């Protein structure tokens, strides 16, 4: 029987021999925290880059400027009202961003009057047009024949340009300012 046990011992040894696999040491808590922090920083950088790209597209839209737009800035308009007017006319992409951009660039205030801008303009281009001032008022030619007196000249001008006041025009002509 001892022979039987000896054989069995040899067989049992083969059955119970285990192969060991070396396992990686668990990473330390500090390493895990550092990995999470690096991941968060990478995500924040990607979000910041996407945000910067989007803001740049608001300030400088892609593509060439569009069709001409003639706008009238009413007397007493604030920068906010002008920004809304520009956005409503599709000159700029965002009135809100335009207001911040104007503050950042220390631009404005602007004069009331008529302006010619282009749709799909960059904020810088819109500010450049507004800084240039409004278009000059339309000119009207009035021919005054020789030999007319001052009251006759005044009457002729008021006849052709009804927006003028005869009294105010006579006052200006008599003052020597014109």
């Amino acid at each position: 029987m001892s022979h039987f046990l000896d054989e069995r011992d040899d067989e049992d040894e083969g059955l119970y021999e285990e192969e060991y696999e070396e396992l990686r040491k668990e990473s330390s808590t500090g390493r895990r925290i550092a990995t999470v922090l690096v991941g968060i920083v990478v995500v924040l950088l990607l979000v910041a880059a996407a945000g910067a790209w989007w803001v740049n597209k608001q300030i400088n839209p892609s593509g060439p400027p569009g069709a001409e737009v003639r706008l009238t800035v009413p007397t007493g308009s604030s920068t906010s009202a002008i920004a809304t007017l520009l956005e409503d006319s599709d000159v700029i992409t965002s009135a809100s961003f335009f207001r911040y951009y104007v503050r950042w660039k220390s631009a404005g205030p602007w004069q009331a009057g008529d302006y010619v801008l282009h749709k799909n303009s960059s904020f810088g281009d819109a500010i450049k047009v507004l800084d240039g001032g409004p278009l000059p008022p339309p000119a009207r030619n009035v021919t005054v024949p020789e030999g007319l007196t001052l009251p006759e000249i005044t009457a002729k001008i008021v006849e052709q340009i009804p927006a003028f006041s005869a009294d105010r025009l006579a006052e200006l002509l008599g003052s020597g300012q014109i």
Side-chain angles (χ1 to χ4, degrees), residues 23-106:
L23 299 175
R24 274 187 9 200
K25 289 183 183 179
E26 286 190 32
S27 60
S28 68
T29 305
R31 178 178 260 169
R32 277 190 237 146
I33 290 173
T35 303
V36 168
L37 288 177
V38 166
I40 290 171
V41 168
V42 167
V43 168
L44 289 176
L45 286 173
L46 289 173
V47 168
W53 176 82
W54 184 78
V55 167
N56 185 48
K57 288 298 173 193
Q58 298 300 306
I59 295 170
N60 296 308
S62 59
E68 277 190 2
V69 177
R70 187 180 187 106
L71 297 176
T72 300
V73 174
T75 302
S77 293
S78 64
T79 301
S80 180
I82 294 171
T84 302
L85 179 68
L86 293 173
E87 181 182 27
D88 291 346
S89 301
D90 295 327
V91 173
I92 59 171
T93 55
S94 170
S96 299
F97 278 112
F98 186 74
R99 285 189 281 275
Y100 291 123
Y101 188 81
V102 165
R103 260 190 242 137
W104 179 55
K105 291 290 190 174
S106 300

Side-chain angles (χ1 to χ4, degrees), residues 61-166:
S62 59
E68 277 190 2
V69 177
R70 187 180 187 106
L71 297 176
T72 300
V73 174
T75 302
S77 293
S78 64
T79 301
S80 180
I82 294 171
T84 302
L85 179 68
L86 293 173
E87 181 182 27
D88 291 346
S89 301
D90 295 327
V91 173
I92 59 171
T93 55
S94 170
S96 299
F97 278 112
F98 186 74
R99 285 189 281 275
Y100 291 123
Y101 188 81
V102 165
R103 260 190 242 137
W104 179 55
K105 291 290 190 174
S106 300
W110 295 294
Q111 299 175 359
D114 293 330
Y115 292 86
V116 175
L117 295 119
H118 291 271
K119 289 185 176 195
N120 198 38
S121 291
S122 70
F123 289 0
D125 289 345
I127 288 173
K128 189 182 292 185
V129 170
L130 292 168
D131 283 345
L135 298 171
R140 301 271 313 263
N141 291 330
V142 177
T143 304
V144 178
E146 292 180 34
L148 294 181
T149 64
L150 200 52
E152 292 171 331
I153 293 172
T154 303
K156 183 113 175 129
I157 291 173
V158 170
E159 175 187 307
Q160 292 187 22
I161 307 173
F164 284 169
S165 160

